[in-house]
Amino acid sequence: MRIVTRNLCAAAAAVTVVRQSVIRNHHQVTMSRRLNARRTDGMDKNVWVEFSQLAADYKVVNLGQGFPDFSPPPFIQEAFCKALSGGPSMHQYTRAFGHPPLVKALAKFFSRIVGHEIDPFEDILVTVGAYQALFCAFQALIDEGDEVIIIEPFFDCYHQMVVMAGGKAECVPLRPKGEGGAALSSGDWVLSAEELASKITPRTKAIIFNTPNNPIGKVYKTEELQIIADICIKHDLLCISDEVYEWLTYDGAKHVKIASLPGMWERTITISSGGKTFSATGWKVGWAISSGHIIKHMKTIHQNSVYHCATAAQEAVAQGFEREYELQGTPESYFQQLPAALQLKRRKLASCLESIGLQPIVPEGGYFMIADISSVKVDLNDQSPKDEAYDFRFVKWLIKEKGLAAIPVSAFYSPEHSKQFDKYIRFCFVKEDSTLDAAEDILRKWHQEQ
């Protein structure tokens, strides 16, 4: 009987091995035809995937990724908890293009800012974060062969999304103009009106820019926005304005919406984020606001891809905006409290970088500060390809050898211009003081070793 049992077990094991082999071999089968769509060629490399994984592998102090490591304010957490216990409707689908309480709150809040009566159901699309709003804009509005002017530095997905939509990206960089010695401000990075105008062709469809800017923190002044607006109006272009950091401005800098300028409401898509607004990036609630004749095409993309966004998160963000509508401009407003707190963190990081010989570019807004590393001499001695950008190699060295994560700034530029800006790295200062203290300890220790 034992022999029979052993034989049966051996046979079962053999069958298991054969099945596993079949499964493995099945995975190795290669289709004779092309597998991936051509529009995805070259899209697999992603700076966030690469450096987030490195930061996780080396268990570093992370000033790389742009998210707070502190909790959202209690009132917005309570609103989310209340939504979750608000009955069956909070756990089911809501309106596909935006939860009615949220689009109403957004319309009421922003109508008085842009000086135009926003229709909550026609002029707003709620999306899965600002990222999806960008995707809907490019897919809905950019056709094969259309050209999109991207003002650099830019959030890296702009370029990829233009190309995936069949368009062609034309890039115009902001360029630093400052005196040597004292730390530069992001306000010293300027746009050339002549260079921007030189990129216009009969195929140009849109201009996209980000204010406050990621990564340098530039807050565009009204006269700078007017340069962009004049070109858009003259050449009948769309304008995509990424304003996710709109409430985070420092030292008296004022965020101005380009959609509020004369002649721009009808051609501007303004994109923003509940995650950045209320320090809850994981909720992934974003939106696009524009004239209904533009939004209707973005709705077509939305309904045929994501279709719907999380109901409870939208309800919580709606309650947050209702609160801020009543408190706007008062000391109790979170839109006053958050930038005041972050201004102190910004100063803390800038002082640290200056003290070890790095030159920070002090941001007027946003989550980030870039630093000039050109004066630092480091023997990288790494295994990276020698043609890899210097800032990529430097950040990898910083992660592996010093235990501190940052992001290379050349990732925010087109290949045409990236070499000009590969001596900067980006730090996120929207972190707990304990995180910033840990980063400071690493930097000071490194400086003492030099």
Side-chain angles (χ1 to χ4, degrees):
M1 186 70 178
R2 269 195 214 119
I3 294 171
V4 171
T5 303
R6 267 200 308 272
N7 287 343
L8 287 171
C9 289
V15 168
T16 300
V17 169
V18 169
R19 281 178 179 161
Q20 290 174 343
S21 178
V22 168
I23 290 170
R24 280 197 299 270
N25 289 336
H26 174 70
H27 286 164
Q28 292 170 0
V29 171
T30 303
M31 292 181 66
S32 59
R33 68 180 68 187
R34 182 186 177 91
L35 183 60
N36 69 298
R38 286 180 175 82
R39 65 180 175 275
T40 66
D41 285 348
M43 302 290 179
D44 53 330
K45 186 173 175 60
N46 182 283
V47 67
W48 315 112
V49 173
E50 180 179 6
F51 285 94
S52 296
Q53 188 60 56
L54 266 179
D57 289 346
Y58 285 85
K59 298 180 174 59
V60 299
V61 176
N62 193 349
L63 299 190
Q65 274 187 288
F67 62 86
D69 62 357
F70 49 82
S71 295
F75 71 83
I76 203 78
Q77 294 187 60
E78 290 164 9
F80 203 173
C81 291
K82 186 178 178 181
L84 290 173
S85 58
S89 65
M90 287 294 104
H91 300 273
Q92 308 305 328
Y93 298 132
T94 185
R95 176 175 171 270
F97 305 125
H99 189 46
L102 178 54
V103 293
K104 289 177 182 177
L106 292 173
K108 180 171 70 171
F109 193 96
F110 288 110
S111 287
R112 67 182 180 184
I113 293 175
V114 299
H116 178 90
E117 194 64 33
I118 297 171
D119 185 317
F121 299 106
E122 299 296 326
D123 299 341
I124 299 175
L125 172 64
V126 176
T127 56
V128 181
Y131 215 95
Q132 195 225 339
L134 288 163
F135 180 80
C136 287
F138 288 121
Q139 287 293 318
L141 304 170
I142 302 306
D143 219 340
E144 192 77 29
D146 285 344
E147 295 175 1
V148 178
I149 296 175
I150 303 176
I151 300 177
E152 302 175 294
F154 57 83
F155 192 56
D156 67 317
C157 75
Y158 297 176
H159 193 282
Q160 309 287 57
M161 288 183 181
V162 168
V163 174
M164 288 182 70
K168 179 185 177 185
E170 293 287 348
C171 298
V172 178
L174 298 169
R175 300 185 188 277
K177 290 186 177 180
E179 300 285 333
L184 295 173
S185 162
S186 61
D188 295 319
W189 291 56
V190 297
L191 176 66
S192 165
E194 294 75 19
E195 189 173 4
L196 180 61
S198 74
K199 294 290 185 178
I200 303 294
T201 76
R203 301 305 304 265
T204 306
K205 181 72 175 289
I207 297 175
I208 180 170
F209 70 104
N210 173 212
T211 182
N213 177 269
N214 172 15
I216 64 174
K218 178 181 177 65
V219 178
Y220 284 70
K221 298 176 177 64
T222 302
E223 53 268 30
E224 294 174 303
L225 296 174
Q226 193 64 58
I227 291 170
I228 298 170
D230 289 345
I231 288 176
C232 286
I233 293 168
K234 179 179 179 180
H235 298 281
D236 194 23
L237 307 180
L238 292 169
C239 178
I240 303 172
S241 185
D242 180 351
E243 303 180 12
V244 297
Y245 303 105
E246 60 185 312
W247 302 110
L248 303 178
T249 59
Y250 315 117
D251 294 335
K254 183 182 179 183
H255 174 72
V256 177
K257 290 182 172 294
I258 194 168
S260 69
L261 300 185
M264 288 304 290
W265 164 257
E266 297 81 4
R267 63 180 68 252
T268 300
I269 303 97
T270 303
I271 291 171
S272 198
S273 159
K276 297 297 194 298
T277 298
F278 294 111
S279 305
T281 59
W283 292 9
K284 295 298 288 181
V285 176
W287 54 85
I289 300 177
S290 187
S291 174
H293 78 283
I294 292 175
I295 289 292
K296 71 177 183 179
H297 299 295
M298 295 175 62
K299 286 178 177 178
T300 300
I301 301 300
H302 179 79
Q303 74 190 25
N304 287 295
S305 54
V306 173
Y307 184 72
H308 173 270
C309 308
T311 304
Q314 291 188 71
E315 175 69 20
V317 173
Q319 294 307 310
F321 269 100
E322 291 289 358
R323 176 188 186 274
E324 290 302 307
Y325 184 83
E326 299 301 326
L327 296 177
Q328 192 174 17
T330 71
E332 291 77 27
S333 168
Y334 188 63
F335 297 170
Q336 300 284 323
Q337 294 172 350
L338 181 60
L342 296 185
Q343 187 154 324
L344 298 176
K345 295 177 185 294
R346 181 193 68 152
R347 187 179 306 146
K348 181 182 182 72
L349 179 59
S351 297
C352 172
L353 294 173
E354 286 176 326
S355 71
I356 65 166
L358 295 179
Q359 183 171 33
I361 309 302
V362 180
E364 301 162 293
Y367 272 12
F368 309 106
M369 180 181 298
I370 70 172
D372 185 341
I373 57 172
S374 58
S375 63
V376 179
K377 305 305 177 188
V378 173
D379 181 12
L380 297 178
N381 193 28
D382 58 6
Q383 302 302 311
S384 301
K386 295 306 176 186
D387 61 347
E388 186 172 40
Y390 179 78
D391 55 344
F392 272 75
R393 295 174 62 204
F394 184 94
V395 170
K396 288 177 182 178
W397 173 85
L398 192 62
I399 290 171
K400 295 175 183 179
E401 301 297 327
K402 302 301 174 186
L404 178 63
I407 294 291
V409 167
S410 67
F412 297 85
Y413 285 88
S414 62
E416 178 186 359
H417 297 128
S418 61
K419 184 66 178 173
Q420 301 173 37
F421 300 95
D422 71 351
K423 298 299 189 292
Y424 296 94
I425 61 175
R426 189 197 80 171
F427 296 101
C428 176
F429 56 85
V430 186
K431 304 292 181 182
E432 291 277 15
D433 283 347
S434 58
T435 305
L436 296 175
D437 288 340
E440 184 173 355
D441 289 343
I442 291 170
L443 291 169
R444 291 194 187 283
K445 184 178 178 182
W446 167 41
H447 182 58
Q448 290 166 4
E449 293 169 353
Q450 292 183 61

